[in-house]
Amino acid sequence: MSASTTLIGGIIAAGEGSRLKRDGLRMPKSMVPVAGVPLIERVMSNFVKVGITQLRVIFNEDDRECATFIQERFPNLDIRCIVKTTRSSYESFWEVGGRSGPDPILMSTVDWICPEPAFRRFVDQARRCSQASVVLAVTPFVADEKPLWATLDPSGRVTGIGGDSGDVVTAGLYLVSGSIFAQAPHPSTIARLRDFLAWMVDRGIPVYGVIIDQVIDVDRAEDLHLAETLLKDGV
């Protein structure tokens, strides 16, 4: 991937947010506010700050009002919304990536929180990783019920994905070569996004990791306070 190539943004926001709903938050997960800003708005604002003007966003069919919200909130962006209830995180990833063209895609889940400077550093470093087909944001800070562990070699290449331990955990941000979707398996054959990442590593596709010191995955009500504290204190 070239640092000078235009980036497209892709956001996976089709999850049900079941754990947040169990904690009493009835709104769509994308609209859950952290420090007064809905999760989807925060991700999109971060994308805009690194020069992204084209976005592909997927919502499930119960949250179609979220598509209206982002188009009204960001009227000057080229936003294409996919409204589809998918069977898995990988199917959402595949749907967005397959509609984004050959340019590199900054793919993101909707529920990560990190300080803006750390996000910018990830994008800058990932774009300079010319040998990679995929660059993962990874962190040594584990604040997730079901972390996806990754093992890196000294160059930063991912040598293993999954299992009960590793060097770092993935953080919901991915810089992906658009060409990867030409060889990506159909969603009927892979259940989860983490399985696709492991599939690429197992086949020798160059996947690299860039470390962000702290990232919060907002899955539960208790994560909201932790995320707000991180935003307040982070640089």
Side-chain angles (χ1 to χ4, degrees), residues 31-54:
M31 299 303 296
V32 170
V34 176
V37 180
L39 287 169
I40 185 65
E41 182 176 346
R42 186 175 297 280
V43 173
M44 292 182 66
S45 295
N46 280 330
F47 277 25
V48 169
K49 289 171 184 174
V50 295
I52 291 174
T53 59
Q54 296 183 60

Side-chain angles (χ1 to χ4, degrees), residues 187-219:
S188 63
T189 66
I190 287 187
R192 302 171 299 174
L193 179 53
R194 59 180 58 201
D195 298 324
F196 175 59
L197 299 177
W199 178 90
M200 288 191 293
V201 171
D202 289 345
R203 279 154 183 77
I205 294 170
V207 179
Y208 283 74
V210 168
I211 293 175
I212 297 177
D213 288 338
Q214 288 186 305
V215 185
I216 304 299
D217 186 21
V218 179
D219 280 326

Side-chain angles (χ1 to χ4, degrees), residues 33-220:
V34 176
V37 180
L39 287 169
I40 185 65
E41 182 176 346
R42 186 175 297 280
V43 173
M44 292 182 66
S45 295
N46 280 330
F47 277 25
V48 169
K49 289 171 184 174
V50 295
I52 291 174
T53 59
Q54 296 183 60
L55 291 108
R56 310 293 178 256
V57 188
I58 187 165
F59 298 106
N60 68 54
E61 292 167 19
D62 290 336
D63 295 344
R64 60 179 63 247
E65 70 271 20
C66 297
T68 302
F69 169 80
I70 63 172
Q71 287 166 333
E72 292 177 349
R73 179 67 183 82
F74 297 92
N76 297 321
L77 299 182
D78 173 6
I79 303 171
R80 298 183 190 178
C81 292
I82 305 160
V83 178
K84 180 179 180 180
T85 299
T86 56
R87 293 166 292 181
S88 67
S89 54
Y90 173 62
E91 183 177 356
S92 297
F93 187 88
W94 187 84
E95 288 281 355
V96 171
R99 303 183 193 211
S100 300
D103 289 333
I105 310 161
L106 184 61
M107 296 281 280
S108 170
T109 58
V110 76
D111 54 7
W112 59 269
I113 294 288
C114 76
E116 183 190 329
F119 168 72
R120 286 179 177 270
R121 285 194 294 272
F122 165 74
V123 175
D124 288 343
Q125 291 178 43
R127 296 189 75 175
R128 292 197 295 268
C129 192
S130 59
Q131 68 272 42
S133 291
V134 178
V135 182
L136 312 178
V138 295
T139 180
F141 182 72
V142 182
D144 193 326
E145 285 183 330
K146 299 177 181 179
L148 177 58
W149 288 96
T151 302
L152 311 181
D153 72 12
S155 73
R157 183 162 180 166
V158 178
T159 59
I161 285 277
D164 296 329
S165 64
D167 301 323
V168 287
V169 297
T170 60
L173 272 169
Y174 321 86
L175 184 59
V176 183
S177 169
S179 62
I180 202 72
F181 292 97
Q183 56 184 306
H186 190 273
S188 63
T189 66
I190 287 187
R192 302 171 299 174
L193 179 53
R194 59 180 58 201
D195 298 324
F196 175 59
L197 299 177
W199 178 90
M200 288 191 293
V201 171
D202 289 345
R203 279 154 183 77
I205 294 170
V207 179
Y208 283 74
V210 168
I211 293 175
I212 297 177
D213 288 338
Q214 288 186 305
V215 185
I216 304 299
D217 186 21
V218 179
D219 280 326
R220 304 156 297 175

